[in-house]
């Protein structure tokens, strides 16, 4: 259901979109072989120059956050009047389980937000909320892989790699894709892997919350043995050897590639430490995000780093929470903690981007890998909610999406997405679209076939486009 | 999102059409008043010629739904329950819900049901539908070069008969001469021996080997080269280097990866079997047959039987979504992975494409895919019904080794599996806790009664489970290996790849495009793997030998004669020297699939020995060097980088290594941090013996293009990216090993001046002395930075070594 305050949406149909795309770029097939390194294969004007992808690892309960279901509370303790098809272990599920948290309407649009997210509630007028998400995969591994690569059974490039491949980096001293505190489980490297795309599109890993000193760390960026100036001298020496080799070889693109890689490495060494120095942020901003806060410290630092990377022109910045949203049991105690760990930092990120005039060109996506069940899971002492890939909520904000808008519905228990359903592939198509790329045309030839992020699926969710 | 026709438009349409309805028959009237507008409003945006054609299905004409899309005809007139159009709008099947954005109102579904029940009257005739559908013409497709039978080729004549050293050289030179080109000069002996040693055993030559080879080469280059090649072929490093090439194709790993990353405890036996097979020069046809059907082959000794079983782990190691709840889907995904593996690694075809539809480019109809798939649905890879995701490899079929191995293993598992897993898990966990508590206690000032109490408790628990462990009978050694199902059967086509969308049953068999009279036929009593193995390695099979010799060529010359080494289909590249490829494949068959003979032949050829540079004269247009006027420069692989550094540091252990994961619990292992914590120890053995944990491979592997261990890879990526530079500059491993190297070369024999030490370092690392240019580049820098300008300290030597290692001089083989 669309909320009342945003009735005047544009009648911009899929066909119009294709026609518009056709006028400019026709049948551009973006073959990786044909593409020059500097070419940016945008298919139409981008609405966002970059994307910050906030990954709520574990799966957020939609009915306790953005998708209130009065029926759950009314029927609390009663059996669900239908079976729960498509779940792993129906045997461990019990009765209908009401939400413990109060919902209020917020913003000019009057969007419902639960009391667990008081900070985000202040920013609903910036968001497009999709309450009818669905995906495949009842277990974390499958759903997390699908959220990040569109596929679980086969190894495919991650969405950040596709975007880096499509747009290249805006900053020649930084990679196009960084991945902050990503887990080793549930796919591990595949969540930021380039697969068959060129290796420079792999996400550069940064450890922050998970690093020992809570300082952002890129592998091997700094020398333990040499000062910066000494390292420059060392690089100069190596480059002199490389150039002499190249001259003797009479030219060789491979050797030139190594020479370039040393220059980029050195530029990163020069630029990245400052970029990652979040201690330099003014105190009022640290306070806004919740740096040093009991619950908020970790994600606050990650979100500040994400903003700094966005400012520096990195195209895709993905930021994982800890694996703490998976509330199978004891949801009454644990969900408020998970909410507290992220609510203020994410809200601050939206406010900070807006205040800097960056929100218009930065797409922010907030998503878990799936949602949770309307019935209680009862095998863990205090009840919780089990995995539910068939209906859940995500929101997008900033670059090119409507503010104060909500779409889609789950059934009255919040289990199945029923109206204006949006699949994970549709979300991917939409993110690419907002960044100026047609998901059907962003392809890469591998093993004799043209591959896409969305495989043969995906529709742009036109409803949320501003 | 496809809300194209606003409601009022439909109303208008009905009002206009309504005037004439009275004159129509009731079926016509029903169609025109109810069905046509509904189809137009709800379906045309994705299923009409004027808009989009999703799933190849048209609903804007009778011919459209009669022909149907990828699922077949959409309507069975008179029978709504058999019409997938109706199934789709009813939202009965989660994989087929139409329209995708939301279920139709019940009254609209009722209209469609009524229409179909009444016979689906439809006046919208369009005879042009389907005329553009292509059908695969197998006979025509046989004309494609890679499907042609192999025949003996004539050795081409050359103008300069003094140049070639073997038959391959004739083919290469003849083509160069046709283009008025000359091959470049031979590489100097140091460069050649460095190239040969890395290519054949993955390590650098020693300084002594270089000296001796250079001397021998000066008097007789051919004999010197032959004896160097023979020495290297006999080195155990040959199996370690070439075995790794095969492991790339076999997507070898010690853990499942994917969502349930369980440890695969026994597949190291497969790894070592591959290495041994190459070292023993097992004929490649036998090597292939054992991997496809070893468990069904005859045997003369228990060792042979065990090796037969171990080889079939090839079929087992795919990364599986073990958490998948839908068992049919899981089985078909496993089968698909196996069919695709065989296609890519042995046939050079992307068979996986034909799972859902006829192959778009290659002559592989879906029926052929399911003919092969039936062989693997008749093969047990997964062990029985999977009720819930399992936390260990027991979801996979395991076979016991040794006499009566299967029975002993099954007896052990049925009796003790749970107790065994629990004991292993607890012993493992408690040992770690005990160690950690002991450390804490040692650090604590004085005694800490609480800690001590906790320690005693954990120790007692550990002892308890160790005692339980002692009560188990000896665990049978095992390996992941398949077996035939009790009732092998042909399998139906799965329409559009849906695991339970059954189409026609296809008899088990092989690819029509590579078939011949008298080819093996599937034994109906078995899965058919044995016959598949024989079909793959028959001399009539046009693909297997061509694909294999091309891979060997690619490893020695940088590029294959067909550069798309995993794709010999229509989308692949045609060979640069088709006659040479066929000649090599034909000779390979004649030799009895003798790999060492092939490698010896190619590595002693004149072409192999060429320099990578062209000093003078005309050169081939472009930079691709497809005619091999010179040798290709090659990047070292991460194993070679790591093993060389260990050797320089004096740390490399050349022994083979058995299990790398046996001491882990039987459950999941995730990522490097956890893997380290769980004790996946990286040792100083050669890189091929290090654990391959699918979610997290070693830094040096990941950074230098180790293949993704979940995908069969014939040709590794070849990238130059900043993390490689950072690794060579700042990684602890490079710093430690160059430090050790610096310490190792303090003996006066490595030189007593800066220049002499530099020369020793060059000779150790890149098998030659520095050029004058390089001395001019290096010495002033070091003279300025040395701790000791006259006689470099160990630290100075380490810095010199590291600069050379980080440079292209070390990273590439000229």
């Amino acid at each position: 259901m669309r909320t009342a305050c945003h009735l005047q949406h544009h009648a911009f149909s899929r066909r119009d979109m294709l026609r518009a795309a056709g006028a400019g770029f026709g049948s551009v097939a973006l073959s990786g072989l044909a593409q020059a390194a500097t070419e940016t294969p945008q298919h139409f004007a981008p609405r966002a120059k970059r994307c910050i992808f906030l990954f709520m690892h574990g799966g957020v309960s939609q009915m306790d956050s953005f998708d209130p279901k009065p029926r759950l509370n009314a029927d609390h303790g009663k059996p669900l009047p239908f079976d729960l098809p498509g779940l792993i272990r129906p045997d461990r599920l019990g009765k209908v389980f009401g939400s413990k948290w109060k919902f209020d309407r917020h913003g000019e649009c009057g969007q419902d937000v639960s009391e667990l997210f008081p900070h985000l509630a202040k920013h609903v007028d910036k968001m497009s909320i999709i309450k009818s998400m669905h995906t495949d995969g009842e277990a974390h591994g499958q759903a997390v892989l699908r959220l990040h690569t569109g596929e679980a059974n086969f190894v495919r490039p991650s969405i950040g790699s596709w975007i880096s491949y499509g747009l290249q980096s805006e900053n020649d001293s930084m990679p196009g894709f960084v991945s902050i505190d990503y887990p080793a489980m549930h796919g591990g490297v595949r969540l930021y892997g380039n697969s068959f795309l060129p290796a420079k599109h792999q996400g550069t890993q940064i450890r922050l919350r998970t690093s020992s000193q809570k300082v952002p760390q890129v592998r091997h960026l700094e020398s333990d043995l040499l000062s910066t100036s000494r390292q420059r001298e060392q690089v100069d020496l190596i480059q002199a050897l490389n150039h002499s080799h190249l001259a003797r070889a009479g030219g060789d693109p491979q050797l030139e590639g190594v020479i370039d890689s040393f220059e980029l490495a050195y530029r990163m060494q020069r630029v990245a430490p400052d970029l990652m120095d979040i201690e330099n942020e003014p105190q009022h901003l640290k306070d806004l995000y919740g740096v040093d806060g009991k619950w908020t410290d970790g994600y606050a630092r990650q979100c500040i780093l994400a903003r700094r990377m966005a400012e520096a022109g990195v195209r895709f910045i993905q930021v994982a929470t800890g694996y703490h949203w998976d509330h199978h049991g004891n949801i009454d105690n644990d969900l408020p903690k998970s909410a507290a760990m992220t609510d203020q930092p994410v809200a601050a990120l939206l406010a900070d981007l807006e205040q800097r005039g960056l929100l218009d060109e930065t797409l922010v996506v907030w998503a878990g890998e799936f949602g949770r069940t309307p019935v209680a899971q009862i095998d863990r002492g205090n009840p919780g909610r089990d995995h539910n890939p068939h209906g859940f909520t995500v929101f997008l904000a900033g670059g090119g999406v409507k503010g104060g808008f909500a779409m889609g519905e789950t059934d009255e228990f919040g289990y199945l997405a029923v109206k204006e359903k949006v699949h994970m592939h549709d979300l991917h198509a939409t993110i690419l679209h907002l960044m100026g790329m047609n998901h059907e045309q962003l392809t890469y030839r591998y093993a004799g076939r043209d591959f896409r992020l969305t495989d043969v699926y995906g529709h742009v969710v036109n409803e949320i486009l501003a | 999102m496809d809300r194209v026709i606003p409601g009022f438009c439909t109303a208008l349409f009905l009002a206009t059409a309504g005037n004439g309805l009275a004159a129509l028959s009731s079926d016509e009237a029903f169609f025109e008043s109810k069905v046509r507008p509904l189809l137009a409003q709800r379906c045309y945006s994705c299923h009409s010629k004027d808009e989009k054609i999703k799933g190849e299905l048209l609903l804007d004409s009778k011919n459209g739904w009669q022909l149907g899309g990828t699922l077949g005809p959409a309507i069975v007139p008179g029978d709504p329950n058999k019409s997938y159009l109706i199934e789709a709008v009813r939202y009965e099947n989660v994989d087929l819900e139409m329209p995708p954005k939301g279920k139709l109102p019940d009254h609209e579904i009722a209209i469609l049901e009524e229409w179909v029940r009444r016979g689906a009257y439809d006046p919208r005739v369009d005879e042009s539908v389907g005329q553009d559908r292509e059908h695969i013409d197998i006979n025509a497709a046989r004309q494609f070069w890679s499907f042609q039978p192999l025949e003996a080729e004539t050795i081409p004549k050359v103008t300069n008969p003094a140049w070639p050293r073997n038959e391959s050289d004739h083919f290469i030179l003849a083509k160069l001469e046709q283009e008025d080109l000359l091959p470049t000069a031979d590489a100097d002996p140091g460069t050649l021996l460095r190239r040969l040693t890395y290519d054949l055993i993955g390590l650098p030559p020693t300084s002594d080997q270089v000296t001796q080879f250079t001397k021998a080469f000066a008097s007789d280059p051919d004999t010197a080269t032959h004896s160097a090649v023979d020495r290297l072929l006999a080195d155990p490093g040959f199996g370690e280097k070439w075995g790794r090439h095969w492991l790339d194709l076999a997507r070898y790993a010690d853990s499942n990866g994917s969502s349930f990353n369980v440890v695969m405890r026994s597949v190291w036996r497969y790894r070592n079997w591959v290495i041994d097979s190459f070292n023993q020069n097992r004929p490649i046809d036998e090597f292939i047959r054992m991997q496809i059907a070893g468990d069904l082959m005859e045997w003369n000794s228990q060792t042979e039987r065990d090796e037969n079983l171990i080889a079939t782990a090839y079929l087992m190691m795919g990364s599986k979504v073990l958490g998948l709840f839908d068992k049919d889907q899981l089985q078909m995904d496993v089968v698909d992975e196996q069919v695709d593996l065989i296609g890519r690694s042995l046939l050079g075809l992307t068979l996986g494409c034909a799972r859902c539809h006829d192959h778009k480019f290659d002559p592989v109809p879906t029926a052929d895919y399911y003919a092969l798939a039936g062989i693997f649905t008749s093969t047990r890879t997964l062990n029985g019904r999977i009720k819930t995701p399992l936390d260990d490899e027991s979801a996979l079929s395991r076979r016991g080794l040794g006499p009566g191995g299967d029975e002993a293993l099954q007896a052990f598992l049925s009796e003790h599996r749970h107790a065994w897993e629990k004991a292993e898990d607890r012993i493992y966990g408690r040992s770690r806790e005990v160690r950690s508590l002991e450390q804490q206690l040692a650090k604590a000032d004085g005694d800490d009664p609480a800690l001590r109490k906790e320690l005693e408790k954990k120790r007692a628990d550990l002892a308890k489970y160790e005692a339980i462990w002692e009560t188990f009978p000896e665990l049978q050694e095992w390996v992941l290996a398949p077996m035939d199902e009790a009732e092998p059967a042909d399998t139906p086509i799965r329409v559009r790849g849906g695991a339970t969308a059954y189409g026609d049953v296809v008899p088990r068999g092989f690819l029509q495009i590579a078939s011949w009279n008298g080819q093996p036929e599937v034994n109906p009593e078995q899965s058919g793997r044995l016959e598949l193995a024989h079909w793959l390695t028959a001399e009539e099979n046009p693909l297997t030998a061509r694909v294999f010799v091309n891979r060997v060529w690619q490893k020695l010359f940088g590029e294959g004669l067909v550069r798309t080494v995993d794709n010999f289909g229509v989308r692949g590249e045609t060979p640069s020297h088709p006659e040479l490829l066929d000649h090599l494949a034909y000779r390979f068959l004649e030799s009895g699939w003798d790999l060492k003979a092939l490698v010896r032949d190619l590595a002693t050829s004149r072409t192999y020995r060429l320099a990578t540079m062209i000093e003078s004269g005309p050169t081939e247009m472009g930079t691709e060097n497809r005619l091999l006027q010179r040798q290709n420069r090659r990047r070292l692989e991460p194993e070679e980088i790591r093993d060389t550094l260990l050797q320089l540091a004096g740390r490399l252990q050349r022994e083979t290594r058995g299990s790398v994961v046996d001491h882990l619990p039987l459950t999941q292992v995730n990522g490097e941090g956890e893997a380290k914590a769980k004790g996946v120890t990286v040792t100083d053995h050669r890189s091929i013996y290090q654990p391959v944990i699918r979610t997290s491979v070693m830094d040096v592997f990941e950074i230098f293009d180790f293949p993704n261990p979940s995908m069969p890879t014939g040709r590794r990526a070849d990238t130059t990216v900043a993390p490689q530079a950072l690794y060579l500059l700042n990684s602890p491993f490079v710093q430690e090993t160059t430090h050790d190297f610096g310490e190792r070369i303090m003996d006066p024999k490595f030189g007593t001046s800066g220049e002499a030490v530099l020369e020793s370092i060059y000779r150790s690392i890149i098998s030659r002395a520095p050029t004058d240019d390089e001395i001019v580049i290096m010495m002033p820098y070091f003279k300025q930075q040395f701790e000791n300008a006259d006689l470099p300290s160990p630290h100075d030597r380490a810095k010199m070594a590291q600069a050379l290692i980080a440079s292209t001089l070390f990273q590439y083989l000229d």
Side-chain angles (χ1 to χ4, degrees), chain B residues 112-177:
Chain B
L112 291 170
E113 288 172 338
E114 172 72 8
W115 175 50
V116 173
R117 193 175 310 115
R118 286 164 62 166
Y121 168 85
D122 193 340
R124 302 168 306 159
V125 174
D126 179 356
E127 296 292 351
S128 70
V129 167
Q131 284 175 0
D132 52 351
R133 292 261 173 110
E134 288 173 22
H135 293 279
I136 293 174
D137 181 343
I138 298 283
N139 282 327
R142 280 179 199 276
Q143 299 309 311
F144 191 70
W145 73 270
S146 63
F147 305 126
Q148 298 264 316
L150 265 182
E151 279 164 24
E153 297 286 336
T154 7
I155 310 298
K157 294 257 181 309
V158 293
T159 323
N160 176 8
W163 188 82
R165 290 294 175 276
N166 65 10
E167 292 167 350
S168 307
D169 288 336
H170 278 87
F171 287 90
I172 297 293
L173 183 62
K175 200 127 190 176
L176 284 170
E177 287 176 345

Side-chain angles (χ1 to χ4, degrees), chain A residues 160-179:
Chain A
S161 294
W162 277 112
I163 286 171
S164 170
Y165 161 66
L167 301 181
Q168 313 290 332
S169 185
E170 277 186 280
N171 179 336
D172 69 359
S173 300
M174 287 297 292
F177 172 22
V178 302
S179 181

Side-chain angles (χ1 to χ4, degrees), chain B residues 695-759:
Chain B
T695 45
S696 169
V697 297
M698 277 195 284
D699 273 359
V700 62
F701 283 15
E702 182 202 324
I703 293 171
F704 287 93
D705 299 320
F706 186 75
N708 185 315
S710 301
M711 303 200 282
T713 305
R715 191 190 188 293
R716 292 185 179 188
D718 194 0
T719 69
T720 46
V721 292
Q724 295 164 350
L726 291 172
Y727 183 86
L728 294 167
L729 291 171
N730 296 330
S731 73
F733 181 73
V734 174
Q735 285 169 353
E736 283 162 25
T737 47
T738 48
H739 169 83
D740 291 353
F741 174 65
E743 300 271 2
R744 268 187 73 225
I745 53 163
M746 285 308 288
D747 189 284
K749 76 175 181 189
F750 292 103
T752 50
S753 69
E755 283 81 355
V757 169
L758 181 69
E759 183 176 333

